[in-house]
Every structure is written in structure tokens, then in C-alpha cells.
């Protein structure tokens, strides 16, 4: 049956110990440990910051058990029947996953704002096709770093596993076929010995394990966010389990005392990683994942040779542990969507007590899923009767999920109203006719928060996230891992007046505005920006560790400035930027002082090189994600406003102190961003202001061109350089 997709081995006549034969109750308990630490981590349990390693435990267990099934089938029947293998995977995995995905889509429509439907629909479709891990890897960047977690996110692990189970059996079949050919033309057709099976499987496991581990270490160091999700950095973890299954007949021979020691040491390693790993640990997976994966292998190895019920196996084989292990798959599937929906309903913050309550509540749907979906479908004779029946059932389940996901994904934009504003004054233009006067008292009511905006607004809330500067689309705003400056040029490329805009994403807030001015006044505008990296002479930090890529970019940018020799530098930056001090992340007032000093020193360095600097004060900080809030409360937009004190007046701005110390001019545009004396609105003059909680939409930024021009004309550097002809200032020493 399916001879073209099968590799054969010579069936053994005498009883031969099959690889990893027999039920292992301790492995069921190990599954309970894995899902337990994941649940506690997702519940924000304070003493389990590294509970994400439970996923790595699952990978090793899965690689071990599935490889054991493949090898036992080869020894028993003489074949590795791929289609039969995939049919079993369908019956085991798809039914429960389909129910959870469809239920998640339904709850998304019932609970979450429409702005989130499209992305969740895309992710659900990717999860149904087992490619969602690549979707997360491709969309995990600075633009969406602050967005709420997806209720589909945990399906990335299933995608990695199923991709492994496409690669691994095919590789095993190919290696067996190669060995048969090397046996010569007198070898029995379609037959290899058991020793050849071990050689082929061992070589295959190592062929996956070693390159994947090396790549995981390299890629995790270069791009930790996507590296966390991609299959290539995770294959080695499943291959560890596969290799353990292949070489089980050697491992079983270890002394009993050593096996027990391995088991306890392995469990201790898993617990240690769960307790000690956190956001400040080395980038994951990489080499850091060796601790939980090798610890899992140690527990499995320790239970071989009849030791499954002794030592640590006695603990893992207890009834409650085995029961949790039985439902662990469904429990993993159900708990995370409930955590995400619960977090949203609780106002966006999940305290540990509520998190624990939610994960405990998830046991009920998990048990129901195990009892009435997993087991019945797996044993349903109508599906089990043939491989074709299983494949057809799997195809129908996938198709149904993809159809539901597509419906949810396209619904928001397909039903969004079309807004036509005609010749109305939009954005900041609707605030006043006198752009030289930016006092709040001179503004119209166009910036006052209201529940419903007459005639609507642009962009729509569901489109606001994608309303960002062109520098994101053309790749010249650097992501975290990049260090070489890659600038964009706008306006008149042949102009004698060169303005450089440098800094982090808060500098990018002003790029659409400056492009408008550059095109109007024929400036050559050059932009150099990098995610979460201020233009400052101070070691910076990100995610609790040194941000070395930022420091490297700052050094390289000095060389770029030397080469470009701009007439003026304009910069802005997030006031919350983290900095390092003596190997530690600086805190509170000390952080503010160090950041102010670093900013001032960089600006003085430019001044000594004869390059004037203008600084734009940082923008307000909204209390919530403005597009999501507006999507959730389209008829109560005042809910989405933030008190002016919280957003602006009560905040600390290190650039104020830095500008005073460095004697550089500072521009404050915040009355144009928050023109009401009491609250910062999400819509001003029929234009949506925010694409998240602290970045402006490009549409609103473009409406700020005239008030920013008035501000620039009011500065000495701006008036002389930008509007009164090219400056006549002799250069000082080089920047460095």
C-alpha cells in the first residue's frame, strides 16, 4: 500500500526489543510538568518567569514518541508508511485544534474589537494550515511590539511540530532507500537490516540536530524575535527526542543508579529553567534552550530500562500527574485563548490571581475536549477504516477552519463605511488659521474629545495601524538587529540645503511632516532612524539588557554624518528610553539624568563639528492603544481620550534638560497634538491622530506641516538655514 511513499526494512523473526516500546506513565507526568509551567507562566505567576520552557519540553517528548512509533512500525511491518503516519496525525491532532480555532474565531467576533479581527483571521488560517509560526516570525517587529497578544499565538508550536513531521519521515525514508541501494543489486528488494535502520535513523537525527542547533544559536543572536518562532531554529529540539529514541537500546543499558540520578537531575533542570529564566536571560531558543531540552531528555532516559515507575518516575506516574498529562494537549489549546479574552475583559491587565483562575477554569473545556473530541475522533471507525477516509476528514476540517478564518478576517474592512470629507480643513489645519499662535486658547473645538465625530474621520480606526511613514515600507528605518545606517532621501536630491532627521521611532513621527516641507521648499531631506534607539552618546538598553546594536548604529551614524555634512540635524526621541550604567539598567531619576547627559553630549558633538541641531520635544503618551479603543467604542470616543496631565504635563522630558545644557534650540509641538486643556483626543479635525499609544498616524503628521514650519521659522537655526538661504558657517572639527 502506497509503495512509492514507503521505505521497507526486513521484518525481524525473533523477538527484538523495539525502540521505546511500551506505555511510559512517567512521560505522561512529564507532559503534566510541561503544560503546568506554561500555564503558570501565562497566568503571570510571579515565581515562574521562565515557564515558556514547557514548550521545549513538549518538543523533546514529541520527537521521542513519534520517532519511536516510526521505528517500531519499520521493525514490525518492514515499512515506514507515510500516508498512514499522516492519517494518524490527522486523527490525533486536527479535531481538537479545529474546535479550538473555530471557538476562538467566534469569541473574537463576540468580544474583541473589530480592528483585531483581520489579523486574527489571518493567523487562524495559518494555524489551520500549520504555517502560523512563520506568520508570527514575519510580523513580530517594532511596529506591533506593543499590541495585545493574539489568541492564536500558541498554535506556533503545533506548526513547528507538524513541519518537523513532514521533514523527518521523508528524510528517514530517503536514507533507508540510499542504504538499500548501497547494499548492492543482490540485496533483497525493499529490505534493510535492523542495524541499517539504526544507522540511517541516527544519521538522519544528527543531520537535523546539529545544523539546526548551530543556526539557532546564530540566528537567535542576530534576530531573537523571529528566531523564537521559525522552524529552523527549533528542529534540533525535536531531533534531540528523535535521537534518544534511535539510540534507546544503548541508553537502556546505563546502570540503575545513574538512570535515577539522570531522572531527578532532569526534572531539577526543567524546574530551574522555569524559575530562573526570564526576559533578561540569554536570547531564546539558542544555546539557552539546551538546559530544558537536555533536562527533558535526561528524564526520559532515566525512565528507560524498566525504571519508569522508580525514582523521579514514581512522582511523575502519580494518578493526578497522569490525568493532567492525558488532557495536556487540549489544556494547552484551550488555556491561552481564555487568557487572552480574559485579559481583554479585565481591562488589559492580568493579575496573577485572575490568571490562575482562568487557567484552572480552562481545565473544564480541556477535559470535555479530551473526552468527547480527541478520544472519539481518534477511535472513530468511519475515519479509521482507511487512510483516504482520514485524509478526507482532515481536508474538510482544514477547509472549514480556513473558510471561517477568511470570513472573520475580511468582515471588518468589507463592512467599513466610506468616509468622504470633501474640502473640509483636516487635522491641525482645523484648529486655527494662525499657525504662528499655538496657544490652546486660540484653538477651535476641533481638538476637543467627543463621543462621535461629525462626518466621520480618516483613517478609519481599523486602518490606523497601517497609516505609518513610508520609511517603514521602503526598509530604511532599521529594525533592532541592524547596525549599518541606511538612510532615505526625500525632497530635492540635488538641493544645496541638506536637512538630516535622525533618531528613534518618535523621530519618525515627524518624517511625513518634514517630507511635506522638503517638497515645498526644495530641501534635501535625509532620514536615519532605528527602532528604540535614541541619537545619544550613552549605552542604551532594550528588554532589560544592553542594546549593543543601538550603540553600534550610533557610532556608524557619526561616520555617515561626517560624509554627508548636513546643514542641519533635527532629532526627537522617546523620553522613556532605557540606558545602561556599569552593566546594569539605570532606574528612575538616575536613568533620566544619564539619558539627558547622553543626549546633550551628542548634540554638543554636532555643534563642535559646525552642524546645528534642532530638537523636537517628545509627543504625548496615550493611556491606551488608541485604534483598538476607538474600534471597541466607536460611539464613545471620549473613553479613549487621556487626561492631559497623564499624557503630557506630568511626564519627565530629559531632552529639556539636555537642550538647556547643550544650548540647542527646542521645538514644542505638543499643543498641536493635544490641543485641549483637559484631555488628549484620538481624533482632531476629522483625522485620527494615533496609530498606537505613542506614534502619530502619517495622515495627522502631514497636517502639522504649517505649524511646524512656523516653529522652524521661529528658531535661529531654522530661519537662517532653511528659509533665508544656505548658511555661511565654517566647519569645526570632524564629528568623531
Amino acid at each position: 500500500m502506497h509503495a512509492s511513499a514507503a521505505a521497507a526494512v526486513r521484518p525481524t523473526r525473533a523477538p527484538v526489543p523495539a525502540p521505546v516500546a511500551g506505555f511510559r506513565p512517567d512521560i505522561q507526568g512529564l507532559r503534566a510538568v510541561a503544560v503546568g509551567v506554561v500555564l503558570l507562566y501565562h497566568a503571570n505567576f510571579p515565581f515562574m518567569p521562565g515557564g515558556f520552557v514547557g514548550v521545549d519540553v513538549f518538543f523533546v517528548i514529541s520527537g521521542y514518541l513519534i520517532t519511536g512509533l516510526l521505528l517500531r512500525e519499520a521493525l514490525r511491518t518492514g515499512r515506514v508508511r507515510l500516508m498512514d503516519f499522516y492519517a494518524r496525525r490527522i486523527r490525533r491532532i486536527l479535531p481538537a485544534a479545529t474546535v479550538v480555532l473555530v471557538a476562538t474565531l467566534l469569541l473574537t467576533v463576540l468580544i474583541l474589537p473589530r480592528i483585531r479581527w483581520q489579523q486574527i483571521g489571518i493567523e487562524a488560517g495559518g494555524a489551520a494550515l500549520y504555517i502560523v509560526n512563520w506568520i508570527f516570525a514575519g510580523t513580530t517587529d517594532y511596529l506591533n511590539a506593543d499590541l495585545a497578544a493574539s489568541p492564536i499565538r500558541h498554535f506556533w508550536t503545533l506548526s513547528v511540530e507538524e513541519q518537523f513531521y513532514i521533514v523527518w519521515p521523508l528524510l528517514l525514508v530517503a536514507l533507508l532507500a540510499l542504504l538499500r541501494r548501497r547494499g548492492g543489486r543482490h540485496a533483497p528488494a525493499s529490505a534493510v537490516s535492523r542495524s541499517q535502520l539504526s544507522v540511517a535513523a541516527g544519521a538522519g537525527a544528527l543531520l537535523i540536530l546539529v545544523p539546526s542547533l548551530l543556526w539557532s544559536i546564530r540566528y537567535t543572536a542576530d534576530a531573537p524575535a523571529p528566531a523564537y518562532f521559525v522552524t529552523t531554529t527549533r528542529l534540533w529540539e525535536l531531533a534531540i527526542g528523535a535521537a534518544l529514541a534511535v539510540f534507546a537500546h544503548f541508553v537502556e543499558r546505563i546502570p540503575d543508579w545513574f538512570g535515577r540520578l539522570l531522572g531527578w537531575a532532569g526534572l531539577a533542570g526543567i524546574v530551574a529553567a522555569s524559575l530562573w529564566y526570564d526576559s533578561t536571560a540569554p536570547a531564546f531558543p539558542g544555546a539557552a534552550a539546551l538546559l530544558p531540552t537536555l533536562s527533558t531528555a535526561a528524564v526520559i532516559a532515566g525512565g528507560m530500562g524498566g525504571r519508569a515507575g522508580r525514582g523521579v518516575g514514581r512522582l511523575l506516574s502519580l494518578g493526578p500527574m497522569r490525568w493532567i498529562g492525558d488532557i495536556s494537549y487540549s489544556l494547552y489549546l484551550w488555556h491561552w485563548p481564555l487568557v487572552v479574552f480574559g485579559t481583554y475583559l479585565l481591562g488589559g491587565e492580568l493579575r496573577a490571581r485572575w490568571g490562575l483562575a482562568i487557567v484552572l477554569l480552562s481545565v473544564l473545556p480541556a477535559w470535555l475536549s479530551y473526552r468527547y473530541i480527541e478520544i472519539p475522533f481518534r477511535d472513530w471507525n468511519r475515519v479509521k477504516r482507511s487512510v483516504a477516509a482520514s485524509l478526507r476528514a482532515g481536508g474538510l476540517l482544514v477547509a472549514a477552519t480556513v473558510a471561517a478564518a477568511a470570513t472573520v478576517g475580511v468582515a471588518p474592512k468589507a463592512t467599513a463605511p466610506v468616509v468622504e470629507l470633501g474640502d473640509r480643513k483636516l487635522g491641525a489645519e482645523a484648529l486655527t488659521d494662525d499657525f504662528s499662535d499655538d496657544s490652546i486658547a486660540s484653538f477651535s473645538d476641533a481638538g476637543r474629545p467627543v463621543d462621535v465625530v461629525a462626518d466621520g474621520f480618516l483613517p478609519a480606526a481599523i486602518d490606523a495601524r497601517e497609516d505609518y511613514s513610508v520609511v517603514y515600507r521602503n526598509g530604511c528605518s532599521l529594525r533592532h538587529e541592524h547596525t549599518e545606517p541606511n538612510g532615505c532621501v526625500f525632497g530635492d536630491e540635488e538641493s544645496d540645503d541638506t536637512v538630516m532627521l535622525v533618531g528613534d521611532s518618535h523621530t519618525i513621527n515627524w518624517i511625513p511632516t518634514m517630507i511635506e516641507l522638503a517638497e515645498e521648499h526644495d530641501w534635501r531631506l535625509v532620514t536615519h532612524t532605528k527602532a528604540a534607539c535614541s541619537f545619544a552618546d550613552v549605552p542604551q538598553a532594550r528588554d532589560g539588557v544592553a542594546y549593543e546594536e543601538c550603540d553600534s548604529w550610533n557610532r556608524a551614524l557619526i561616520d555617515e554624518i561626517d560624509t554627508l555634512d548636513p546643514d542641519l540635524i533635527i532629532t526627537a526621541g522617546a523620553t522613556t528610553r532605557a540606558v545602561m550604567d556599569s552593566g546594569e539598567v539605570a532606574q528612575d531619576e538616575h536613568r533620566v539624568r544619564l539619558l539627558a547627559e547622553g543626549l546633550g553630549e551628542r548634540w554638543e558633538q554636532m555643534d563642535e563639528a559646525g552642524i546645528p541641531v534642532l530638537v523636537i520635544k517628545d509627543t504625548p503618551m496615550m493611556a491606551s492603544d488608541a485604534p483598538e479603543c476607538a474600534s471597541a467604542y466607536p460611539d464613545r470616543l471620549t473613553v479613549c481620550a487621556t487626561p492631559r496631565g497623564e499624557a503630557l504635563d506630568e511626564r519627565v522630558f530629559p531632552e529639556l534638560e539636555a537642550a538647556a545644557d547643550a544650548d540647542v534650540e527646542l521645538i514644542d509641538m505638543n499643543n498641536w497634538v493635544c490641543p485641549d486643556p483637559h484631555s488628549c483626543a484620538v481624533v482632531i479635525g476629522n483625522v485620527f491622530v494615533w496609530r498606537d499609544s505613542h506614534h502619530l498616524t502619517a495622515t495627522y503628521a502631514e497636517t502639522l506641516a504649517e505649524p511646524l514650519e512656523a516653529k522652524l521659522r521661529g528658531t535661529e537655526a531654522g530661519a537662517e538655514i532653511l528659509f533665508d538661504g544656505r548658511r555661511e558657517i565654517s566647519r569645526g572639527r570632524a564629528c568623531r
Side-chain angles (χ1 to χ4, degrees), residues 102-119:
V102 172
T104 300
L105 289 168
L106 178 61
L107 290 172
T108 294
V109 172
L110 294 175
I111 295 175
L112 297 183
R114 294 168 68 89
I115 192 174
R116 298 180 61 182
W117 294 10
Q118 181 182 31
Q119 187 60 32

Side-chain angles (χ1 to χ4, degrees), residues 614-638:
L614 286 178
V615 180
I616 301 178
K617 187 179 178 182
D618 194 18
T619 45
M621 179 76 71
M622 300 295 281
S624 63
D625 184 320
E628 180 164 319
C629 182
S631 178
Y633 303 101
D635 300 324
R636 296 174 57 201
L637 293 179
T638 53

Side-chain angles (χ1 to χ4, degrees), residues 293-340:
T293 52
L294 293 180
S295 296
T296 304
V299 174
I300 297 172
M304 291 180 178
R307 292 181 294 269
R310 302 198 299 272
V312 73
R314 179 173 298 178
L315 171 64
L316 296 176
S317 300
L318 292 175
M321 298 289 287
R322 292 174 58 180
W323 184 79
I324 295 174
D326 289 340
I327 68 169
S328 59
Y329 173 59
S330 283
L331 187 55
Y332 179 78
L333 291 180
W334 278 104
H335 87 280
W336 179 244
L338 297 181
V339 166
V340 171

